[in-house]
Amino acid sequence: MMRGVFWLSRKDLLHRPIQSALLAICLALPIFLPLATKLLLDRYQDDLLSRAEATPLIAGGAGNRFDLTLSSLYFRSSDLKPIPMTELEAINRSGLAYGIPLRLGNFARGHPIVATSPEYFELRRLQPATGALPLRLGEVVLGSAVALELDLGVGDSLFSDPRRLYDISVPPSLKMRVCGTLKPMGTADDRAVFVDLGTAWILEGYYHGHGDAQSLDPSLILEKNEDLTRVSGALVEYNEVTAENQASFHYHGDRGALPLSGLIVVPEDAKGGTLMKARMNTAGAYQMLVPTEVVNDLLKFVFRIKTFLDGYALILLCITSALLCLILWLTSRLRRREMEALHRIGVSRGTVAALHVSGFFLILLASAVLAGLALVALHLLLPDLVRWLR
């Protein structure tokens, strides 16, 4: 009997496809929304925590701890005060930990340029898929996603993005040579461009290279004595590092004052990490953080939003259910003559009620299938959420 009831209900729903589809979609939405929210937040939490747990300590300018953490973990732009090279040298001399420098803020074709040292690749377990890691000025190694998107490989060239367009006081774009590409890791490193620190300082104008001042046109020399030759700003600097001009790149000043965006600090043991953090935070000029603590605090705010979204989904479900009941009641009123005809031919009232229940069940089943397909599509097509942090 029930097989016949379901067959009649299915035929009835197919007889009114537009109405049936609208009902299924309206019910699928409140089913999909809380499940999608959970999927998104779980993915977001996993991505944030996995990278934070792989990073022992982070040091940088005093200020917003979220900015410093997200900047160091995901190469996000930040306005925090830079930390000088002297702090990195002090950490390395302490015997309690070693520091990995990070210099951020430059871009190439829209992708962040990350200036760091070889220890960073060891910490993140990054290995070249082709070529080698950058060891010289002007060399660059591409994350797997960047190499794929830009279709670049070993030996190709990549220009940095201008820091300020139409401003002749800033260094021009630097032509960099691709020396390698990295294996995919499924992290923010796949979408970054890696160089050494010297290359970043060339991009910012701290390092520069030009011809021998002793052989210049006399009109470009402003002052000359036994110890110093001061040249005019009209002298054109190199915008590419080659084997011929690499030795000419230099910095006028104390190397210890060169800026870094942050440091990843790897302590020798837990005690050393505690001492290093206490020393830097007590001084007050800079701060040292435990990334997992900061990320967990950030996730607390995220889960507060989830509570609101879950409440919104519940309200939406109640409203949709009420509207569905109204629609079914109105439908039964419109089909009164049809129901009476069923009674006259011997169909019991229980069977008629079963027809209504089975119709609702089929719509609910179709809604669940639609919500499930939408969740599968979201999981497969879900963008990298932490990429939005930049």
Side-chain angles (χ1 to χ4, degrees), residues 202-215:
I202 292 175
L203 294 172
E204 298 173 32
Y206 294 103
Y207 277 22
H208 62 275
H210 49 68
D212 183 7
Q214 304 299 325
S215 60

Side-chain angles (χ1 to χ4, degrees), residues 65-315:
R65 59 197 180 109
F66 295 113
D67 274 357
L68 176 59
T69 302
L70 296 178
S71 172
S72 300
L73 294 180
Y74 298 103
F75 320 131
R76 179 181 180 273
S77 299
S78 172
D79 295 327
L80 291 178
K81 175 184 176 183
I83 185 170
M85 281 287 292
T86 51
E87 293 295 326
L88 172 64
E89 295 166 356
I91 290 173
N92 289 338
R93 288 195 306 267
S94 68
L96 300 174
Y98 69 89
I100 301 174
L102 295 172
R103 185 56 177 165
L104 310 169
N106 299 295
F107 297 87
R109 303 280 292 275
H111 299 281
I113 296 177
V114 181
T116 186
S117 62
E119 290 79 10
Y120 180 87
F121 301 96
E122 181 179 352
L123 177 70
R124 299 296 188 207
R125 299 179 181 178
L126 300 175
Q127 297 180 350
T130 60
L133 299 178
L135 298 175
R136 299 181 180 180
L137 293 175
E139 289 186 338
V140 57
V141 63
L142 307 178
S144 59
V146 178
L148 183 63
E149 178 181 335
L150 302 182
D151 192 23
L152 295 176
V154 177
D156 292 332
S157 297
L158 177 65
F159 281 89
S160 63
D161 295 342
R163 293 177 61 84
R164 289 194 297 272
L165 201 59
Y166 308 123
D167 188 346
I168 61 174
S169 65
V170 299
S173 296
L174 181 68
K175 183 179 181 181
M176 300 176 290
R177 176 184 171 275
V178 177
C179 66
T181 61
L182 297 174
K183 294 180 180 179
M185 296 294 292
T187 64
D189 300 311
D190 293 344
R191 297 173 303 280
V193 173
F194 294 93
V195 299
D196 73 342
L197 289 172
T199 302
W201 290 327
I202 292 175
L203 294 172
E204 298 173 32
Y206 294 103
Y207 277 22
H208 62 275
H210 49 68
D212 183 7
Q214 304 299 325
S215 60
L216 292 178
D217 185 339
S219 64
L220 296 176
I221 299 177
L222 302 179
E223 178 184 353
K224 184 176 182 179
N225 54 45
E226 295 180 357
D227 302 320
L228 174 69
T229 300
R230 191 181 303 278
V231 298
S232 168
L235 177 64
V236 177
E237 300 175 0
Y238 299 130
N239 72 331
E240 180 181 4
V241 181
T242 63
E244 291 74 21
N245 64 21
Q246 181 176 350
S248 72
F249 281 84
H250 56 281
Y251 170 61
H252 299 285
D254 179 13
R255 191 175 185 277
L258 287 168
L260 299 171
S261 301
L263 301 172
I264 295 176
V265 181
V266 183
E268 296 295 332
D269 50 36
K271 180 181 178 180
T274 302
L275 290 174
M276 291 301 303
K277 188 171 68 165
R279 289 179 185 177
M280 181 167 287
N281 292 337
T282 301
Y286 307 102
Q287 61 179 329
M288 188 174 292
L289 307 168
V290 179
T292 51
E293 294 178 357
V294 179
V295 168
N296 281 323
D297 288 343
L298 177 63
L299 289 174
K300 290 179 182 178
F301 292 104
V302 174
F303 285 115
R304 289 179 187 174
I305 298 174
K306 180 181 182 297
T307 302
F308 168 77
L309 292 176
D310 288 344
Y312 174 76
L314 180 61
I315 294 173

